[in-house]
Amino acid sequence: MNTPRRPKLLIIYTGGTIGMIENPATRTLQPFDFTHLIDNVPKVRKLNYEIDNISFNPPIDSSDMSPEHWVEIAMAIERNYRAYDGFVVLHGTDTMAYTASALSFMLENLSKPVIITGSQLPIGEVRTDGEENLITALQIAASVTPTGAPTVQEVAILFENYLWRGNRSTKMSADNFNAFKSNNYPALAKIGLGIHFNNDALYRLIEHRPLRTHYNMDSAVMFIDLFPGLTEQTLRHQLNTPGIKGIVLKTYGAGNAPTEAWFTDAIRDAVDRGVVIINVTQCVNGGVHKRYQAGDALAASGAVSGHDITAEAAITKMMYLFGLGLAPEDVRDHFGHSICGEITV
Ligand code: ASP
C-alpha cells in the first residue's frame, strides 16, 4: 500500500517580530537569523510535513517593506510554485496587509495557498503568539479538500483566531493577539479547538489557468487623508505632487468630502490632468455609497468610488494597474469590479 505523500511547504521568512530577539545592549528588538526560528519551534517537526525555508537576507522590519521586496516574495513563489503544495510567508505585522494585497494582484491565477503570518511577541518569548501562528499557518497551507485540492487557493492572513482574505485585511491593533480583521468580508476560517473553514467565503478561480506573475508595481501613487481644517493650499500641493498618477483619497463616512468649490475644483483640476482619484472611506467598516450630496459632489468632480475596498488594497491595486501600463480611464474602470475578491460587487 502506498503511504500518502507528505505535504510539501515552503516558508519564506521576510523578518518582523516573529523572528526577533532583544539586543541586550540596546534593549530593542532586532531581526535574527532564520535558523533560530525553527530551533525555537521544535513542534514544527512534529507536523510530519516536508518543510523548506528561504529567508530575506537580511530579514527586515516590515516598516522597510517595499515593492522590490514584494517582487522578491512573488519570485520565490513563482520559482517554487510547482514543487510545493503551499507557501507560508513570515512577515512583520505593520505592513502585512499591504503585502497581502499586493501579492494578491501580482500572483494572477493563484490556486495554491499563500498564508502570511507573523506575531505580536517574538517567537523566543515564553508568551509568544508566534509559535501558534506559525503552526496554524503551516496546517492551513497543508490543508486539502476531500478531492485533494488545496483548501485555500488565495493569499490570506492567519493571525491568532482567524484566517482573513489578504486583500480585505487591515491591521487593527498594535497590542492584541487578534491584530487583524477584514471588516467588509467574513473570515475564511475560524481557529479554535479546530480549524473551521468558511467554504462559502473561500476564493475560487472561475477557470483554472497557469500562474502568471506581475512584477511591475508602479509607485507613482499616494494617499490624501481628509480632515476638517485641510486648506486649499495643502490640498493643491498634494494633488500637484510631481509625477503622481493615482491618489487614494480617504474621505469621511460613506465617501463624503467638502462640497465647497475650492475643494471640488482642486479635485476636478487633478482629474482633468489625468490623475486617477479613488474615493475610499476613512471608516474601518463599510464603504463608499451614493447617499449624501457631499459624496455626489466629489463623484461629479471625477473621483471614482472604491466601494468597500480597504486603503491597503486600493493603493496596491493602483500600483498594479499602472504597472500594467494601463491608461487612467482603464485604471478607473478596474475599480468598478473585483480582480481577485478585493471588493464586493
Ligand atoms: N515592526 C514590526 C514589523 O512590522 C512589527 C511586527 O512584526 O509585528 O516588522
Side-chain angles (χ1 to χ4, degrees):
M1 206 177 85
N2 285 342
T3 43
R5 193 176 65 79
R6 290 195 302 157
K8 199 171 171 203
L9 305 177
L10 181 65
I11 298 177
I12 302 166
Y13 173 56
T14 68
T17 298
I18 193 161
M20 285 190 183
I21 45 165
E22 196 177 275
N23 177 325
T26 62
R27 310 219 58 187
T28 56
L29 292 173
Q30 289 179 348
F32 72 101
D33 193 317
F34 180 80
T35 42
H36 287 75
L37 193 65
I38 297 294
D39 289 348
N40 276 300
V41 196
K43 278 186 201 158
V44 166
R45 297 203 180 94
K46 286 195 184 172
L47 287 173
N48 199 26
Y49 301 157
E50 207 180 314
I51 300 174
D52 293 318
N53 61 69
I54 50 181
S55 176
F56 270 23
N57 186 17
I60 58 165
D61 185 296
S62 82
S63 315
D64 283 321
M65 196 51 68
S66 68
E68 290 73 38
H69 294 113
W70 296 336
V71 167
E72 210 174 320
I73 302 169
M75 267 188 184
I77 293 170
E78 184 183 43
R79 274 200 220 109
N80 294 288
Y81 195 65
R82 289 171 71 95
Y84 290 88
D85 300 309
F87 303 85
V88 170
V89 180
L90 301 180
H91 194 290
T93 55
D94 290 346
T95 60
M96 189 182 282
Y98 290 91
T99 297
S101 300
L103 289 177
S104 76
F105 299 119
M106 296 166 82
L107 301 170
E108 188 182 346
N109 301 330
L110 181 72
S111 59
K112 290 190 177 184
V114 174
I115 312 299
I116 310 183
T117 195
S119 67
Q120 295 281 46
L121 286 176
I123 206 145
E125 285 201 13
V126 181
R127 288 183 57 253
T128 186
D129 51 332
E131 181 171 298
E132 211 176 286
N133 285 348
L134 172 61
I135 288 169
T136 310
L138 289 166
Q139 288 183 314
I140 289 171
S143 169
V144 290
T145 66
T147 64
T151 307
V152 177
Q153 304 184 14
E154 59 186 292
V155 180
I157 288 183
L158 176 276
F159 225 85
E160 190 74 0
N161 297 121
Y162 298 95
L163 181 74
W164 305 109
R165 173 164 298 162
N167 57 29
R168 293 289 195 144
S169 305
T170 297
K171 182 172 178 182
M172 300 294 292
S173 172
D175 304 318
N176 288 341
F177 284 156
N178 266 311
F180 285 84
K181 195 161 180 205
S182 104
N183 290 293
N184 290 330
Y185 196 76
L188 303 182
K190 171 102 184 62
I191 290 91
L193 292 181
I195 299 171
H196 303 286
F197 289 101
N198 179 0
N199 290 323
D200 294 339
L202 293 168
Y203 189 77
R204 288 293 183 264
L205 286 170
I206 296 166
E207 204 186 315
H208 271 267
R209 296 212 183 94
L211 180 75
R212 207 169 146 215
T213 316
H214 302 275
Y215 291 122
N216 208 6
M217 296 293 274
D218 192 333
S219 293
V221 295
M222 64 187 280
F223 286 119
I224 296 181
D225 221 325
L226 295 189
F227 60 95
L230 174 69
T231 63
E232 178 176 5
Q233 192 198 13
T234 314
L235 178 67
R236 284 203 179 262
H237 184 77
Q238 294 179 87
L239 292 169
N240 286 325
T241 304
I244 220 73
K245 296 180 186 167
I247 294 170
V248 175
L249 184 67
K250 295 188 182 179
T251 58
Y252 306 128
N256 304 315
T259 53
E260 287 177 57
W262 67 264
F263 183 87
T264 50
D265 287 352
I267 298 290
R268 161 64 57 204
D269 289 349
V271 171
D272 287 349
R273 286 199 312 273
V275 177
V276 175
I277 300 185
I278 305 299
N279 180 2
V280 304
T281 178
Q282 289 174 355
C283 298
V284 289
N285 185 258
V288 172
H289 304 291
K290 202 174 155 34
R291 198 183 296 161
Y292 297 96
Q293 200 214 331
D296 285 354
L298 182 58
S301 314
V304 175
S305 170
H307 304 278
D308 64 348
I309 199 166
T310 61
E312 295 90 333
I315 199 107
T316 51
K317 182 170 177 172
M318 208 141 51
M319 293 168 102
Y320 162 72
L321 294 170
F322 280 119
L324 293 178
L326 298 187
E329 315 80 77
D330 298 324
V331 173
R332 270 199 285 270
D333 283 354
H334 273 89
F335 275 84
H337 53 85
S338 151
I339 295 176
C340 45
E342 74 282 8
I343 56 171
T344 309
V345 278

